[in-house]
Every structure is written in structure tokens, then in C-alpha cells.
Amino acid sequence: MQVTPPPATHHEQEDFSDRFAWRTTRLLRFLADTFFAGRYGNRAVVLETVAAVPGMVGGALVHLKSLRSMKDDEGWIRQLLDEAENERMHLMTFVHIARPSRLERWMVMLTQGIFYNLFFVLYLVSARTAHRLVGYFEEEAVYSYTEYLEGIDGGQYENVPAPQIAIDYWKLAPGARLRDVIVAVREDEAGHRDVNHRFADQLKG
């Protein structure tokens, strides 16, 4: 079966803010590639833990800003919190598939603690850069899940049955497999990519 990725939406770097976000993303991509190599399930467990942070941080800070300014948030809070919840469900799904080791669980705690605080500060300093960073993160996520699909279709990874939690969440067919889950997850990531790039563009204006 041929892997068809969702439409590519790469935001070209236009200024220092974009270049900072892009280079940070490429550095983290290099570290993930180095540590996890082709272990996409385990990679997803650690990275989805991090991916669920920005929406929660952004949602909380936009909420507080809305209270201070006494102005409507124009739907940002709900979108950001929905993003955080969606990424958490990605994690819950891949935990059933990859079965993270104790080392990886410790990595999750360490990585999440560091990333949460750094992203919180970044959002306070430049919310636009923070959203652009997430947009680039999601571009890489779409790329990684496309590689995962190619590995399944090529027989490199077993197309195991989908966990029940994934079948329930995405309303998949009862006989759904891992491939169906990854397609659904990749579509989610493409949506988050577009939303965060749009938020960054709006903040630029």
C-alpha cells in the first residue's frame, strides 16, 4: 500500500524568530534520530509527552491574559487545550504499543520538566516564536509518522492490532491495525501544525 502524506505545509523562515524556531526544531530532531534511530513506537512515547506541553502552557497563559485584559480569547484557549488533550491521547495509545522501558520513563520525566519550563519562558518572551516552534515540531511529526507508515508497509514494523483506547478515541473499525492508528495520529499532527503556524502569523500581524 502506497503511503500518501497529507499536504505538505512548510513555513519558510522569514526573520530571526522563525529561524530560531526552525533551528531549535532541527536540533531536537537530530537528537531524537540519534537516540531512537528506527524505534518509532518508543520515540512516539517520549515525544508525545513533550508534544502535550505547549497546548497546556499556551492555553493557561492565554487564559490569564484574557482575564487581565478583560477581552475575549477568540477561541484560542479551547483550541490549545484540545491540542494538549489530543497529544495526551497519542501518548496513551503508544504506551500500549511500545511498552516504554524504565529508562524511557525516566527520560520522559526529565525531558518534560526541562521542556515545560523552557517553553513557559519562551511563551512569555515571544508567544509568536513559541507557536512557530510548535508548528515546526508538528511538521517533523508528520514527516516521522510518514516514515513509520513506510516502515509498516515495507514489513520493517509489525502491523499489530490497534489498542482499544485508539479504536474508541478515533472511532476506528473493530479490526483496526497500527497502520490505521498512525494515519489518524498523523492527521491530528497536520492539523496542529496548521493551527500553530496560523497563530504565529496572527501574532506577527
Side-chain angles (χ1 to χ4, degrees), residues 172-195:
L172 302 175
R177 315 291 291 188
L178 174 58
R179 191 184 195 284
D180 303 305
V181 174
I182 296 173
V183 168
V185 170
R186 188 180 63 173
E187 288 299 319
D188 290 344
E189 305 292 19
H192 301 326
R193 171 199 64 196
D194 297 340
V195 166

PDB file of all heavy atoms in Angstrom, residues 172-195:
ATOM      1  N   LEU A 172     -12.358   4.025  15.212  1.00  0.00           N
ATOM      2  CA  LEU A 172     -11.851   3.160  14.154  1.00  0.00           C
ATOM      3  C   LEU A 172     -12.691   1.893  14.072  1.00  0.00           C
ATOM      4  O   LEU A 172     -13.449   1.569  14.992  1.00  0.00           O
ATOM      5  CB  LEU A 172     -10.388   2.801  14.434  1.00  0.00           C
ATOM      6  CG  LEU A 172      -9.418   3.974  14.568  1.00  0.00           C
ATOM      7  CD1 LEU A 172      -8.028   3.464  14.955  1.00  0.00           C
ATOM      8  CD2 LEU A 172      -9.347   4.786  13.278  1.00  0.00           C
ATOM      9  N   ALA A 173     -12.522   1.168  12.984  1.00  0.00           N
ATOM     10  CA  ALA A 173     -13.214  -0.101  12.813  1.00  0.00           C
ATOM     11  C   ALA A 173     -12.720  -1.100  13.872  1.00  0.00           C
ATOM     12  O   ALA A 173     -11.566  -1.017  14.316  1.00  0.00           O
ATOM     13  CB  ALA A 173     -12.958  -0.651  11.411  1.00  0.00           C
ATOM     14  N   PRO A 174     -13.563  -2.043  14.292  1.00  0.00           N
ATOM     15  CA  PRO A 174     -13.163  -3.001  15.336  1.00  0.00           C
ATOM     16  C   PRO A 174     -11.879  -3.758  15.004  1.00  0.00           C
ATOM     17  O   PRO A 174     -11.111  -4.106  15.896  1.00  0.00           O
ATOM     18  CB  PRO A 174     -14.366  -3.953  15.410  1.00  0.00           C
ATOM     19  CG  PRO A 174     -15.522  -3.120  14.956  1.00  0.00           C
ATOM     20  CD  PRO A 174     -14.976  -2.218  13.891  1.00  0.00           C
ATOM     21  N   GLY A 175     -11.632  -3.999  13.742  1.00  0.00           N
ATOM     22  CA  GLY A 175     -10.427  -4.741  13.345  1.00  0.00           C
ATOM     23  C   GLY A 175      -9.269  -3.851  12.946  1.00  0.00           C
ATOM     24  O   GLY A 175      -8.354  -4.300  12.246  1.00  0.00           O
ATOM     25  N   ALA A 176      -9.270  -2.606  13.387  1.00  0.00           N
ATOM     26  CA  ALA A 176      -8.231  -1.651  13.000  1.00  0.00           C
ATOM     27  C   ALA A 176      -6.851  -2.129  13.439  1.00  0.00           C
ATOM     28  O   ALA A 176      -6.702  -2.835  14.441  1.00  0.00           O
ATOM     29  CB  ALA A 176      -8.527  -0.280  13.596  1.00  0.00           C
ATOM     30  N   ARG A 177      -5.858  -1.724  12.675  1.00  0.00           N
ATOM     31  CA  ARG A 177      -4.472  -2.097  12.959  1.00  0.00           C
ATOM     32  C   ARG A 177      -3.643  -0.851  13.271  1.00  0.00           C
ATOM     33  O   ARG A 177      -4.130   0.284  13.203  1.00  0.00           O
ATOM     34  CB  ARG A 177      -3.862  -2.830  11.754  1.00  0.00           C
ATOM     35  CG  ARG A 177      -4.710  -3.889  11.125  1.00  0.00           C
ATOM     36  CD  ARG A 177      -4.894  -5.097  12.008  1.00  0.00           C
ATOM     37  NE  ARG A 177      -3.659  -5.862  12.176  1.00  0.00           N
ATOM     38  CZ  ARG A 177      -3.602  -7.055  12.789  1.00  0.00           C
ATOM     39  NH1 ARG A 177      -4.710  -7.587  13.306  1.00  0.00           N
ATOM     40  NH2 ARG A 177      -2.462  -7.692  12.895  1.00  0.00           N
ATOM     41  N   LEU A 178      -2.378  -1.085  13.600  1.00  0.00           N
ATOM     42  CA  LEU A 178      -1.467   0.005  13.929  1.00  0.00           C
ATOM     43  C   LEU A 178      -1.419   1.039  12.805  1.00  0.00           C
ATOM     44  O   LEU A 178      -1.381   2.247  13.056  1.00  0.00           O
ATOM     45  CB  LEU A 178      -0.068  -0.547  14.199  1.00  0.00           C
ATOM     46  CG  LEU A 178       1.042   0.484  14.423  1.00  0.00           C
ATOM     47  CD1 LEU A 178       0.717   1.398  15.599  1.00  0.00           C
ATOM     48  CD2 LEU A 178       2.384  -0.225  14.640  1.00  0.00           C
ATOM     49  N   ARG A 179      -1.428   0.575  11.571  1.00  0.00           N
ATOM     50  CA  ARG A 179      -1.365   1.497  10.441  1.00  0.00           C
ATOM     51  C   ARG A 179      -2.516   2.509  10.479  1.00  0.00           C
ATOM     52  O   ARG A 179      -2.328   3.697  10.191  1.00  0.00           O
ATOM     53  CB  ARG A 179      -1.387   0.731   9.121  1.00  0.00           C
ATOM     54  CG  ARG A 179      -1.058   1.600   7.923  1.00  0.00           C
ATOM     55  CD  ARG A 179      -1.185   0.845   6.606  1.00  0.00           C
ATOM     56  NE  ARG A 179      -0.524   1.589   5.552  1.00  0.00           N
ATOM     57  CZ  ARG A 179      -1.019   2.676   4.972  1.00  0.00           C
ATOM     58  NH1 ARG A 179      -2.199   3.143   5.375  1.00  0.00           N
ATOM     59  NH2 ARG A 179      -0.352   3.298   4.017  1.00  0.00           N
ATOM     60  N   ASP A 180      -3.701   2.039  10.802  1.00  0.00           N
ATOM     61  CA  ASP A 180      -4.861   2.931  10.879  1.00  0.00           C
ATOM     62  C   ASP A 180      -4.673   3.975  11.971  1.00  0.00           C
ATOM     63  O   ASP A 180      -5.078   5.132  11.814  1.00  0.00           O
ATOM     64  CB  ASP A 180      -6.129   2.113  11.149  1.00  0.00           C
ATOM     65  CG  ASP A 180      -6.360   1.042  10.101  1.00  0.00           C
ATOM     66  OD1 ASP A 180      -6.397   1.389   8.914  1.00  0.00           O
ATOM     67  OD2 ASP A 180      -6.493  -0.139  10.480  1.00  0.00           O
ATOM     68  N   VAL A 181      -4.073   3.564  13.073  1.00  0.00           N
ATOM     69  CA  VAL A 181      -3.827   4.487  14.182  1.00  0.00           C
ATOM     70  C   VAL A 181      -2.851   5.577  13.749  1.00  0.00           C
ATOM     71  O   VAL A 181      -3.081   6.774  13.999  1.00  0.00           O
ATOM     72  CB  VAL A 181      -3.265   3.734  15.404  1.00  0.00           C
ATOM     73  CG1 VAL A 181      -2.861   4.719  16.501  1.00  0.00           C
ATOM     74  CG2 VAL A 181      -4.275   2.731  15.926  1.00  0.00           C
ATOM     75  N   ILE A 182      -1.773   5.178  13.095  1.00  0.00           N
ATOM     76  CA  ILE A 182      -0.757   6.152  12.700  1.00  0.00           C
ATOM     77  C   ILE A 182      -1.315   7.146  11.691  1.00  0.00           C
ATOM     78  O   ILE A 182      -1.001   8.349  11.740  1.00  0.00           O
ATOM     79  CB  ILE A 182       0.483   5.428  12.137  1.00  0.00           C
ATOM     80  CG1 ILE A 182       1.130   4.582  13.247  1.00  0.00           C
ATOM     81  CG2 ILE A 182       1.490   6.439  11.594  1.00  0.00           C
ATOM     82  CD1 ILE A 182       2.246   3.707  12.769  1.00  0.00           C
ATOM     83  N   VAL A 183      -2.147   6.674  10.779  1.00  0.00           N
ATOM     84  CA  VAL A 183      -2.784   7.594   9.822  1.00  0.00           C
ATOM     85  C   VAL A 183      -3.616   8.637  10.569  1.00  0.00           C
ATOM     86  O   VAL A 183      -3.559   9.832  10.269  1.00  0.00           O
ATOM     87  CB  VAL A 183      -3.664   6.820   8.815  1.00  0.00           C
ATOM     88  CG1 VAL A 183      -4.538   7.781   8.013  1.00  0.00           C
ATOM     89  CG2 VAL A 183      -2.786   6.000   7.873  1.00  0.00           C
ATOM     90  N   ALA A 184      -4.373   8.189  11.580  1.00  0.00           N
ATOM     91  CA  ALA A 184      -5.204   9.117  12.357  1.00  0.00           C
ATOM     92  C   ALA A 184      -4.340  10.098  13.145  1.00  0.00           C
ATOM     93  O   ALA A 184      -4.634  11.302  13.198  1.00  0.00           O
ATOM     94  CB  ALA A 184      -6.106   8.328  13.306  1.00  0.00           C
ATOM     95  N   VAL A 185      -3.279   9.596  13.755  1.00  0.00           N
ATOM     96  CA  VAL A 185      -2.381  10.459  14.531  1.00  0.00           C
ATOM     97  C   VAL A 185      -1.724  11.487  13.623  1.00  0.00           C
ATOM     98  O   VAL A 185      -1.616  12.672  13.970  1.00  0.00           O
ATOM     99  CB  VAL A 185      -1.314   9.615  15.257  1.00  0.00           C
ATOM    100  CG1 VAL A 185      -0.233  10.515  15.855  1.00  0.00           C
ATOM    101  CG2 VAL A 185      -1.948   8.763  16.347  1.00  0.00           C
ATOM    102  N   ARG A 186      -1.286  11.040  12.452  1.00  0.00           N
ATOM    103  CA  ARG A 186      -0.623  11.961  11.522  1.00  0.00           C
ATOM    104  C   ARG A 186      -1.564  13.082  11.076  1.00  0.00           C
ATOM    105  O   ARG A 186      -1.150  14.233  10.935  1.00  0.00           O
ATOM    106  CB  ARG A 186      -0.098  11.191  10.311  1.00  0.00           C
ATOM    107  CG  ARG A 186       0.774  12.035   9.400  1.00  0.00           C
ATOM    108  CD  ARG A 186       1.282  11.249   8.210  1.00  0.00           C
ATOM    109  NE  ARG A 186       0.187  10.796   7.358  1.00  0.00           N
ATOM    110  CZ  ARG A 186       0.349  10.197   6.182  1.00  0.00           C
ATOM    111  NH1 ARG A 186       1.573   9.957   5.742  1.00  0.00           N
ATOM    112  NH2 ARG A 186      -0.680   9.818   5.453  1.00  0.00           N
ATOM    113  N   GLU A 187      -2.826  12.754  10.877  1.00  0.00           N
ATOM    114  CA  GLU A 187      -3.805  13.778  10.515  1.00  0.00           C
ATOM    115  C   GLU A 187      -3.965  14.805  11.645  1.00  0.00           C
ATOM    116  O   GLU A 187      -4.087  16.008  11.396  1.00  0.00           O
ATOM    117  CB  GLU A 187      -5.154  13.136  10.194  1.00  0.00           C
ATOM    118  CG  GLU A 187      -5.182  12.388   8.871  1.00  0.00           C
ATOM    119  CD  GLU A 187      -4.892  13.295   7.680  1.00  0.00           C
ATOM    120  OE1 GLU A 187      -5.403  14.446   7.663  1.00  0.00           O
ATOM    121  OE2 GLU A 187      -4.141  12.874   6.785  1.00  0.00           O
ATOM    122  N   ASP A 188      -3.963  14.305  12.885  1.00  0.00           N
ATOM    123  CA  ASP A 188      -4.025  15.219  14.032  1.00  0.00           C
ATOM    124  C   ASP A 188      -2.841  16.173  14.023  1.00  0.00           C
ATOM    125  O   ASP A 188      -2.986  17.390  14.230  1.00  0.00           O
ATOM    126  CB  ASP A 188      -4.013  14.434  15.351  1.00  0.00           C
ATOM    127  CG  ASP A 188      -5.289  13.655  15.604  1.00  0.00           C
ATOM    128  OD1 ASP A 188      -6.301  13.930  14.940  1.00  0.00           O
ATOM    129  OD2 ASP A 188      -5.257  12.774  16.484  1.00  0.00           O
ATOM    130  N   GLU A 189      -1.635  15.610  13.801  1.00  0.00           N
ATOM    131  CA  GLU A 189      -0.425  16.431  13.837  1.00  0.00           C
ATOM    132  C   GLU A 189      -0.432  17.471  12.721  1.00  0.00           C
ATOM    133  O   GLU A 189       0.011  18.609  12.916  1.00  0.00           O
ATOM    134  CB  GLU A 189       0.829  15.543  13.713  1.00  0.00           C
ATOM    135  CG  GLU A 189       0.936  14.420  14.726  1.00  0.00           C
ATOM    136  CD  GLU A 189       1.166  14.889  16.150  1.00  0.00           C
ATOM    137  OE1 GLU A 189       0.907  16.075  16.457  1.00  0.00           O
ATOM    138  OE2 GLU A 189       1.604  14.074  16.978  1.00  0.00           O
ATOM    139  N   ALA A 190      -0.947  17.097  11.560  1.00  0.00           N
ATOM    140  CA  ALA A 190      -1.035  18.060  10.460  1.00  0.00           C
ATOM    141  C   ALA A 190      -1.965  19.212  10.832  1.00  0.00           C
ATOM    142  O   ALA A 190      -1.700  20.376  10.499  1.00  0.00           O
ATOM    143  CB  ALA A 190      -1.526  17.361   9.191  1.00  0.00           C
ATOM    144  N   GLY A 191      -3.041  18.902  11.540  1.00  0.00           N
ATOM    145  CA  GLY A 191      -3.953  19.942  11.996  1.00  0.00           C
ATOM    146  C   GLY A 191      -3.290  20.872  13.001  1.00  0.00           C
ATOM    147  O   GLY A 191      -3.436  22.102  12.924  1.00  0.00           O
ATOM    148  N   HIS A 192      -2.555  20.303  13.956  1.00  0.00           N
ATOM    149  CA  HIS A 192      -1.853  21.123  14.947  1.00  0.00           C
ATOM    150  C   HIS A 192      -0.792  22.003  14.271  1.00  0.00           C
ATOM    151  O   HIS A 192      -0.576  23.151  14.673  1.00  0.00           O
ATOM    152  CB  HIS A 192      -1.185  20.242  15.999  1.00  0.00           C
ATOM    153  CG  HIS A 192      -2.134  19.366  16.749  1.00  0.00           C
ATOM    154  ND1 HIS A 192      -3.419  19.755  17.053  1.00  0.00           N
ATOM    155  CD2 HIS A 192      -1.988  18.113  17.271  1.00  0.00           C
ATOM    156  CE1 HIS A 192      -4.023  18.782  17.725  1.00  0.00           C
ATOM    157  NE2 HIS A 192      -3.182  17.781  17.862  1.00  0.00           N
ATOM    158  N   ARG A 193      -0.123  21.443  13.272  1.00  0.00           N
ATOM    159  CA  ARG A 193       0.871  22.209  12.507  1.00  0.00           C
ATOM    160  C   ARG A 193       0.251  23.474  11.919  1.00  0.00           C
ATOM    161  O   ARG A 193       0.764  24.580  12.086  1.00  0.00           O
ATOM    162  CB  ARG A 193       1.408  21.319  11.378  1.00  0.00           C
ATOM    163  CG  ARG A 193       2.296  22.012  10.355  1.00  0.00           C
ATOM    164  CD  ARG A 193       2.362  21.182   9.082  1.00  0.00           C
ATOM    165  NE  ARG A 193       1.049  21.090   8.433  1.00  0.00           N
ATOM    166  CZ  ARG A 193       0.738  20.182   7.492  1.00  0.00           C
ATOM    167  NH1 ARG A 193       1.629  19.286   7.111  1.00  0.00           N
ATOM    168  NH2 ARG A 193      -0.465  20.192   6.945  1.00  0.00           N
ATOM    169  N   ASP A 194      -0.877  23.292  11.255  1.00  0.00           N
ATOM    170  CA  ASP A 194      -1.515  24.425  10.577  1.00  0.00           C
ATOM    171  C   ASP A 194      -2.046  25.458  11.569  1.00  0.00           C
ATOM    172  O   ASP A 194      -1.936  26.664  11.349  1.00  0.00           O
ATOM    173  CB  ASP A 194      -2.649  23.920   9.685  1.00  0.00           C
ATOM    174  CG  ASP A 194      -2.141  23.007   8.568  1.00  0.00           C
ATOM    175  OD1 ASP A 194      -0.931  23.065   8.256  1.00  0.00           O
ATOM    176  OD2 ASP A 194      -2.950  22.244   8.011  1.00  0.00           O
ATOM    177  N   VAL A 195      -2.624  24.984  12.677  1.00  0.00           N
ATOM    178  CA  VAL A 195      -3.161  25.899  13.692  1.00  0.00           C
ATOM    179  C   VAL A 195      -2.054  26.748  14.296  1.00  0.00           C
ATOM    180  O   VAL A 195      -2.180  27.974  14.434  1.00  0.00           O
ATOM    181  CB  VAL A 195      -3.904  25.121  14.795  1.00  0.00           C
ATOM    182  CG1 VAL A 195      -4.153  26.011  16.009  1.00  0.00           C
ATOM    183  CG2 VAL A 195      -5.231  24.584  14.269  1.00  0.00           C
TER     184      VAL A 195
END
